[in-house]
Amino acid sequence: QKNNPYYVQRFYFFSLYDKGIQMDKESWYSVTPEEISEYIASIIPNSYNSTILDAFCGCGGNSISFSKKFKRVFANDLYEEKIGMTKNNAKVYNCPDNIIYFINDFLTLNLEGENIDYVFLSPPWGGPEYKNEEIYSLKKWIIPDIEKIIEKSLKISKNIMLYLPRNTDLEELANIIYKYDKNDIESLSNTILLDVKYLNPASKVKAILVSYGPKYNTVKVK
């Protein structure tokens, strides 16, 4: 851990870090810190009676918090080792037995027959270099293609949440959502309603949470 600049934050990421938490190199700079993941889970309407898909679950920071609030959690990741870490970390946190795991490319994930109320998106931001951008372009940095991610998500649920860098270009995001949910938006007099929360643990804004869909108390973003 000597060369890991994030190691000093290990208990910020997972308060039970020393109880057997597993993280790979990417997780150290991409996991949602526990304080933030718990906050996100706590503000979602009617969670105890709902299901949520954590589309890019990584080592499980968000899925762990969701499992304690939701009826059911679908945790998906492209990589088997990340799902293995999520399973391990969920055990460390003594999570309820309500997480269903998928190892799949999100864009080809088949959830037919499953009723999913919310889709939570924390796709790879492109590494720590994103901080150097004055305005963060989702189209430039996010892998896979952000347009395809939004299109797929809206087919699964009309309620989506995105955990994104604090300098995200919100106008770009609104335009993408408009493109794939045009009919519903036009019936609302052409106004896109996004709920944007700035997440600032320790008085430092790390990220934003953007929520879109009929289940949210929404605010207007022009």
Side-chain angles (χ1 to χ4, degrees), residues 146-161:
I146 186 64
E147 295 213 12
K148 290 179 178 169
I149 291 173
I150 298 285
E151 183 183 22
K152 170 83 173 182
S153 300
L154 289 168
K155 285 177 180 169
I156 296 170
S157 170
K158 286 294 184 188
N159 301 291
I160 62 174
M161 310 177 78

Side-chain angles (χ1 to χ4, degrees), residues 36 125 130 163-167 197-201 204-209:
I36 294 177
W125 292 357
Y130 79 86
Y163 179 69
L164 297 169
R166 59 187 174 271
N167 50 343
K197 290 188 167 57
Y198 287 82
L199 307 167
N200 57 341
K204 184 183 175 190
V205 178
K206 174 185 170 58
I208 57 172
L209 179 71

Side-chain angles (χ1 to χ4, degrees), residues 9 11 28 42 45 73 95 98 104 119 129 213:
Q9 299 184 68
F11 295 111
W28 282 100
S42 74
V73 178
C95 288
N98 63 349
N104 215 305
V119 176
E129 295 79 19

Side-chain angles (χ1 to χ4, degrees), residues 145-207:
D145 184 307
I146 186 64
E147 295 213 12
K148 290 179 178 169
I149 291 173
I150 298 285
E151 183 183 22
K152 170 83 173 182
S153 300
L154 289 168
K155 285 177 180 169
I156 296 170
S157 170
K158 286 294 184 188
N159 301 291
I160 62 174
M161 310 177 78
L162 301 102
Y163 179 69
L164 297 169
R166 59 187 174 271
N167 50 343
T168 293
D169 184 342
L170 289 174
E171 193 175 334
E172 180 188 55
L173 175 59
N175 287 334
I176 296 169
I177 291 173
Y178 178 74
K179 183 175 176 181
Y180 293 106
D181 207 19
K182 201 170 178 178
N183 293 340
D184 280 6
I185 291 163
E186 285 181 348
S187 69
L188 290 167
S189 70
N190 259 353
T191 306
I192 289 197
L193 300 170
L194 298 177
D195 185 85
V196 182
K197 290 188 167 57
Y198 287 82
L199 307 167
N200 57 341
S203 302
K204 184 183 175 190
V205 178
K206 174 185 170 58

